[in-house]
Amino acid sequence: MRQTLLADVAPVHPAVPYIGIDEAGRGCLAGPVVAAAVILPPHADAAALAALLPALAGLTDSKKLTAAKREALAPRIREHAVAWGLGVVWPRDIERINILQATFHAMWRAVRALRPGGAAAGFDLAQRPLLPLIIDGDKTIPAAVFAGQAPCPARAAPPAPACPAPAQRAVIGGDALIPAVSAASILAKTFRDRLMVALDQRFPGYGLALHKGYGTAEHMAAIADLGPCPQHRATFRGVRPEAGQTQGSLL
């Protein structure tokens, strides 16, 4: 059966609850890919949300914000969200299933990990499987992920329980256009940045705290000098060029 897309059904009014989703770290050479899912209080548009919750004024694509602004907004998002969640997929799993599939699994893990935020009063998280997903990019989560397919067949762990596939919409540039997606972008980015700072302490010499795992000249030079560490993605060109693979894109 064809997966239901929001484009196939009546448009969802912004005042209707939905789950905004975005990721961070897809293009890095080291560290995990992290996704966040956020449900915000009902609002008519971004201006109405800012009027309702002045603390959330300025939500936009995390890449357009300074690190200080992102760090200031992240706790406000958790405080004023109806619900929020994070999903992480680590390098060994990225190598097994490729970065695009790993990103899909991180997104669904974030949805499954939704926890009440400060504005959760009166909202039943049991409604979660019924809420539509709005995802930054041009791709939606494949039905196999909702069906509980294990992300890494080599693992002995049982697959996640199967869930009905929700309605979805992929929106290019959604992290700058849709408040809940912007909020997810900020939570994913700030969580991953803090994680990379911690990993820099465990794997010194690569500058992970500075470049957060992206392929800067300094990072590439460190890999050439020291060799990859366990947090590097061995299938990525630049870590092991002879094993480079074509990685999927969500834009």
Side-chain angles (χ1 to χ4, degrees):
M1 180 180 295
R2 186 170 64 90
Q3 189 172 333
T4 301
L5 304 180
L6 290 182
D8 299 330
V9 298
V12 174
H13 190 278
V16 175
Y18 66 92
I19 302 172
I21 299 175
D22 200 7
E23 55 74 33
R26 192 178 66 251
C28 293
L29 302 183
V33 61
V34 175
V38 177
I39 305 171
L40 290 179
H43 56 280
D45 53 30
L49 177 65
L52 175 68
L53 297 170
L56 295 185
L59 286 181
T60 188
D61 174 6
S62 64
K63 296 185 293 296
K64 297 181 179 180
L65 300 171
T66 64
K69 183 63 174 177
R70 289 193 298 265
E71 289 293 341
L73 280 169
R76 299 177 195 170
I77 292 168
R78 294 190 292 269
E79 178 184 356
H80 294 290
V82 172
W84 62 277
L86 293 163
V88 180
V89 175
W90 292 89
R92 299 296 79 78
D93 292 346
I94 293 171
E95 293 166 1
R96 291 186 182 104
I97 60 175
N98 80 45
I99 186 59
L100 179 60
Q101 297 304 316
T103 301
F104 290 143
H105 281 279
M107 289 176 170
W108 185 228
R109 288 176 184 179
V111 174
R112 294 178 63 85
L114 280 169
R115 67 192 72 181
F123 181 79
D124 182 3
L125 275 182
Q127 299 178 40
R128 179 185 60 193
L130 306 177
L131 296 181
L133 312 180
I134 300 184
I135 301 170
D136 179 60
D138 69 339
K139 293 179 176 62
T140 55
I141 301 172
V145 176
F146 301 117
Q149 177 177 297
C152 305
R155 284 189 165 191
C163 296
Q168 303 184 68
R169 175 181 288 160
V171 178
I172 296 173
D175 50 2
L177 299 171
I178 301 169
V181 181
S182 300
S185 172
I186 292 166
L187 290 189
K189 173 65 173 169
T190 54
F191 178 82
R192 189 181 186 280
D193 281 358
R194 289 193 296 271
L195 188 58
M196 295 306 293
V197 171
L199 289 173
D200 183 62
Q201 299 298 310
R202 186 172 179 183
F203 302 102
Y206 297 96
L208 298 179
L210 179 63
H211 50 65
K212 308 301 189 293
Y214 284 94
T216 65
E218 294 78 10
H219 190 188
M220 300 289 285
I223 295 172
D225 184 41
L226 303 173
C229 78
Q231 282 301 316
H232 282 99
R233 304 171 184 177
T235 53
F236 274 49
R237 191 177 304 278
V239 177
R240 186 173 298 165
E242 71 278 8
Q245 69 176 44
T246 300
Q247 298 293 334
S249 172
L250 289 173
L251 289 189

